[in-house]
Amino acid sequence: DKFYGNNDVTGPDAMHGTHVTGIIAAQRNNGIGINGVADNVKVMELRVVPNGDEYDKDIALAIFYAVDNGAKIINMSFGKSYSPNKRWVDSAFRYAEKKDVLLVHAAGNESTNVDEKPNFPNPFMMMENYKVKNFINVGASSDLQITSKSIAADFSNYGKENVDVFAPGVKIYSTLPGGNSYGNLQGTSMASPVVAGIAAIIRSYYPALTAVQVKACIENAAIKISDSVTCLLPGQEPKPVPFSSLSKTGGIANAYTAVVAAEATVNEKKQSGNKKKN
């Protein structure tokens, strides 16, 4: 039962999706509004979460649709704490992995340790002991020039094992519905498209790299934050913690360093290929 829905991507309120899309792909260097993260990119707009509940079936079918229609990166600025039909989403994740599509997911805005309290969707398969390798979970960082309280957003979920990297997610200026309209929003929903945009840059310039290699370039090149920089544990009782304790990489995604890592990965592949020929 997959032939349902319509092409109304606007719905009753297009604020969230328009803002997320602009972060990835707003036209650059035209002197209007903002510069999106990625330049050479095409966007496929799929509204899979209505104003209300998020259905596993819709998420799964949207991923299958996106993969079958040429998507190389899927940004997922949505999430929830319960997944009654997780196996459907798992099957879509496995399909995306098989087709070399990178999945980028917002870690959530509950100030929760997702190592202890899961957030969905996630890369752990329900019916088998397997974790998909093409999934990046993104927390939201802040900027001490915006707020002097913490380099981690106070709303962001975190987890040393299950959040991979952080990216800017506080007071993010991007596109709004209505045409040439712009404004600030915040959330891990804004951090995830930053990483998706970086992935789009890499896949544009280095198409030979796999989704797993792109993930590795972004994560391995994340900017590490010194313990001397103020960081508070997100939640109702914030306390000082090392920023490195909030994610697997302990860093913030950075486009420049990720591209440098991608260039190095490509050169390594070339050298390895030349050695085999010789």
Side-chain angles (χ1 to χ4, degrees):
D1 179 26
K2 61 182 180 179
F3 299 104
Y4 63 90
N6 55 57
N7 62 355
D8 178 13
V9 297
T10 301
D13 183 4
M15 178 76 73
H16 185 270
T18 304
H19 198 272
V20 167
T21 305
I23 294 169
I24 298 171
Q27 185 172 336
R28 296 177 57 83
N29 303 318
N30 63 352
I32 302 173
I34 67 158
N35 289 337
V37 174
D39 197 0
N40 182 30
V41 62
K42 292 182 179 180
V43 175
M44 182 191 305
E45 297 177 349
L46 300 178
R47 187 182 178 101
V48 298
V49 181
N51 287 24
D53 196 10
E54 172 190 320
Y55 290 96
D56 289 335
K57 178 183 176 183
D58 295 340
I59 301 303
L61 290 177
I63 292 170
F64 279 114
Y65 180 91
V67 173
D68 286 341
N69 285 276
K72 299 302 293 180
I73 302 155
I74 297 176
N75 180 74
M76 299 182 290
S77 287
F78 50 74
K80 58 183 180 178
S81 58
Y82 182 63
S83 183
N85 292 291
K86 188 179 188 304
R87 66 188 185 280
W88 295 347
V89 181
D90 288 352
S91 67
F93 276 20
R94 286 285 252 169
Y95 187 68
E97 183 182 48
K98 179 181 177 182
K99 296 293 185 177
D100 191 36
V101 176
L102 184 65
L103 303 171
V104 185
H105 179 249
N109 305 324
E110 293 78 35
S111 310
T112 296
N113 185 344
V114 294
D115 293 347
E116 299 174 355
K117 185 178 180 181
N119 180 268
F120 300 96
N122 61 41
F124 301 98
M125 301 294 98
M126 180 179 178
M127 306 301 289
E128 54 183 322
N129 184 24
Y130 184 76
K131 178 182 178 182
V132 293
K133 299 177 176 61
N134 60 327
F135 181 95
I136 303 179
N137 207 23
V138 186
S141 61
S142 184
D143 185 332
L144 297 182
Q145 293 182 338
I146 297 173
T147 169
S148 61
K149 293 181 179 180
S150 179
I151 193 68
D154 59 5
F155 55 78
S156 181
N157 287 350
Y158 57 93
K160 186 63 177 173
E161 297 299 324
N162 294 317
V163 173
D164 296 300
V165 69
F166 274 61
V170 176
K171 201 176 181 180
I172 302 300
Y173 192 69
S174 185
T175 47
L176 302 180
N180 293 333
S181 297
Y182 309 90
N184 294 309
L185 292 177
Q186 66 180 22
T188 57
S189 283
M190 284 67 244
S192 180
V194 171
V195 174
I198 294 172
I201 293 172
I202 295 173
R203 300 212 87 167
S204 174
Y205 280 96
Y206 307 101
L209 295 183
T210 66
V212 173
Q213 288 172 323
V214 173
K215 168 182 163 73
C217 289
I218 293 171
E219 293 178 0
N220 294 340
I223 301 298
K224 303 299 188 289
I225 303 300
S226 169
D227 289 347
S228 64
V229 176
T230 304
C231 181
L232 300 178
L233 184 70
Q236 294 182 348
E237 298 181 3
K239 61 181 180 180
V241 295
F243 185 76
S244 59
S245 68
L246 301 183
S247 70
K248 187 177 296 182
T249 62
I252 297 174
N254 181 280
Y256 174 76
T257 56
V259 169
V260 170
E263 176 77 14
T265 302
V266 169
N267 288 336
E268 288 174 7
K269 290 181 69 174
K270 288 180 180 178
Q271 291 174 3
S272 177
N274 290 335
K275 288 180 180 179
K276 289 181 179 179
K277 288 180 182 179
N278 295 333

